[in-house]
Amino acid sequence: MHMKKATLILALLLSSTFIFAQEGEKSSETVFTGDADGYYKSSFNNTIDEFTSFTKSNKSFELGMLSLNVTHKRGKASFIADIGFGKRAKEFTYNDASEFYMVRQLNMTYEVTDNLKITGGSFPTHIGYELVDAVDNKNYSMSYAFTYGPFFNTGVKAIYTTGKVNFMFGVVNPTDFKTAIEASSNQKSFIGQIGYTEDTGSAFLNFTSGSMNNNVGSPLVSGLNQINKTQFDFVASKKIGDAFNLGLNATYAIVNSDVDSSLDGNWFSVVGYAGYKFNDATNINYRLEFFDDKDGVAAFGSFGGANVFSNTMSLNYKVGNLTFIPEVRFDFASEKIYPTENNASKTNGSILFATTYSF
């Protein structure tokens, strides 16, 4: 049944965009893209690590996600739709009803002037260095900063660009909800960004503040608990020569409850990225992260809080549009947070082999 629904949606999407392209003005343009990924992971503890996104498995061949994207532009107006199929898409849109396929983003943009555009709909978060599509990251496994930050927003935002500088501000539903009805809250979040981009690097100061999700029940109906989060986020990248590149993500979150102060606290993460390009086909990438959740408001509440040093090394080898990613990862925690077959451990390691394909 799910496959029939997905096939029908895709057929309607493709047919409608072809009609737009044929009947539209000469300036109209329709672009189709997509990507897919899969992996095999083996944990040194021989158990499943549940603390980071998209690789919650052990000694199993896993399908990641098939992503199909269509964009259409005519004059000053444009549209983008992104449908994801598979486990990775379901984890990304975890607040939506569980289906085999998920609408990850769907939004429309109008260019008011050459410098100002307005976007409305659902779109990926501006917070963080890493992206949801595996093909867009050099490391296949995800950081803690990605996992416990926002995934997407639904609302409206304005982006003003002048030269190398951009400004963004928006008002959105509770974080990671496509509808405020399912969040049982009419509270909103505010998002913002100041960015600078040049040929060899970029820097972005990001912000989000407001309703995160409904932890216990609806404050509008039952008077129970609403969780709010304010997050400051800095992302920078720099290319040094033709072969070496660096990246940085520093993020700090303040979490509080409307009624239960025991759920209040802070967490932060600092993540460094380094990559070296041997040739057009081969590069190696290292990620070092310090994630601190001492208040237990993000990941480690059941342990009374903890912090983690995480090290990830990934090789990327490209053959046409196909990329092979062998990866090794070691995490070291301040508490025994990682399950083992017999007890728990402060350390966790894994080896992983992934492939991605883009078109």
Side-chain angles (χ1 to χ4, degrees):
M1 180 63 72
H2 292 331
M3 286 301 296
K4 289 181 179 179
K5 289 181 181 179
T7 302
L8 178 59
I9 289 174
L10 183 59
L12 291 173
L13 185 63
L14 294 176
S15 61
S16 63
T17 50
F18 279 132
I19 291 172
F20 288 145
Q22 291 169 0
E23 297 182 353
E25 303 170 357
K26 290 183 179 180
S27 60
S28 66
E29 179 183 11
T30 305
V31 178
F32 297 92
T33 59
D35 57 79
D37 67 278
Y39 73 96
Y40 178 89
K41 176 186 172 185
S42 179
S43 168
F44 298 156
N45 288 347
N46 202 33
T47 57
I48 297 174
D49 175 16
E50 297 283 350
F51 291 121
T52 57
S53 299
F54 308 146
T55 54
K56 299 176 181 180
S57 66
N58 180 48
K59 295 184 178 179
S60 173
F61 293 98
E62 295 286 327
L63 301 178
M65 176 174 63
L66 168 63
S67 177
L68 298 176
N69 310 276
V70 57
T71 62
H72 183 269
K73 180 175 174 60
R74 181 165 53 181
K76 293 186 175 182
S78 60
F79 157 88
I80 181 171
D82 177 3
I83 300 177
F85 299 77
K87 185 177 179 181
R88 195 178 183 105
K90 288 175 66 175
E91 285 191 44
F92 181 73
T93 54
Y94 62 95
N95 279 324
D96 293 346
S98 179
E99 295 283 355
F100 176 76
Y101 61 91
M102 310 299 283
V103 176
R104 295 193 307 153
Q105 62 173 318
L106 176 64
N107 59 75
M108 287 69 71
T109 297
Y110 180 73
E111 297 176 3
V112 181
T113 68
D114 291 341
N115 302 99
L116 176 65
K117 62 182 182 180
I118 308 294
T119 296
S122 186
F123 37 83
T125 181
H126 58 298
I127 300 288
Y129 186 93
E130 298 172 18
L131 301 172
V132 61
D133 289 272
V135 71
D136 294 326
N137 299 317
K138 299 300 183 182
N139 303 110
Y140 186 83
S141 66
M142 309 304 293
S143 66
Y144 291 88
F146 174 91
T147 299
Y148 299 102
F151 283 2
F152 64 88
N153 295 117
T154 302
V156 62
K157 62 181 178 179
I159 303 172
Y160 182 80
T161 304
T162 174
K164 298 179 180 180
V165 180
N166 75 274
F167 303 90
M168 182 274 287
F169 180 78
V171 181
V172 296
N173 286 338
T175 300
D176 294 345
F177 280 95
K178 288 189 174 66
T179 168
I181 296 174
E182 290 185 358
S184 300
S185 172
N186 60 10
Q187 295 185 27
K188 296 294 182 284
S189 288
F190 298 95
I191 60 175
Q193 180 184 80
I194 301 174
Y196 176 82
T197 304
E198 60 175 10
D199 293 339
T200 61
S202 61
F204 299 92
L205 181 60
N206 305 308
F207 170 81
T208 182
S209 182
S211 180
M212 184 170 66
N213 58 47
N214 219 29
N215 183 268
V216 177
S218 170
L220 305 180
V221 178
S222 62
L224 294 179
N225 186 47
Q226 182 75 34
I227 300 296
N228 306 285
K229 180 170 72 172
T230 296
Q231 187 169 353
F232 301 93
D233 182 77
F234 178 74
V235 175
S237 63
K238 180 66 175 178
K239 183 178 180 181
I240 303 173
D242 295 330
F244 195 59
N245 62 80
L246 296 172
L248 173 68
N249 183 199
T251 193
Y252 179 80
I254 304 167
V255 179
N256 62 78
S257 164
D258 286 348
V259 296
D260 187 354
S261 61
S262 67
L263 299 175
D264 296 353
N266 309 321
W267 66 264
F268 72 89
S269 180
V270 180
V271 196
Y273 302 84
Y276 184 82
K277 180 180 178 181
F278 295 100
N279 50 52
D280 290 340
T282 310
N283 60 75
I284 192 167
N285 304 275
Y286 175 65
R287 177 181 64 207
L288 173 64
E289 177 178 18
F290 177 71
F291 174 70
D292 188 292
D293 183 30
K294 66 181 185 305
D295 293 334
V297 294
F300 309 132
S302 59
F303 303 96
N307 58 62
V308 175
F309 273 105
S310 178
N311 301 264
T312 307
M313 182 73 75
S314 309
L315 179 70
N316 288 207
Y317 179 70
K318 287 190 174 184
V319 181
N321 290 7
L322 180 67
T323 301
F324 298 96
I325 310 174
E327 178 178 290
V328 60
R329 176 170 179 159
F330 292 95
D331 290 4
F332 304 90
S334 60
E335 305 294 333
K336 292 182 177 182
I337 62 174
Y338 300 111
T340 65
E341 290 183 299
N342 299 317
N343 197 351
S345 173
K346 291 185 178 181
T347 63
N348 186 52
S350 63
I351 55 174
L352 178 151
F353 184 82
T355 57
T356 67
Y357 191 92
S358 61
F359 58 92

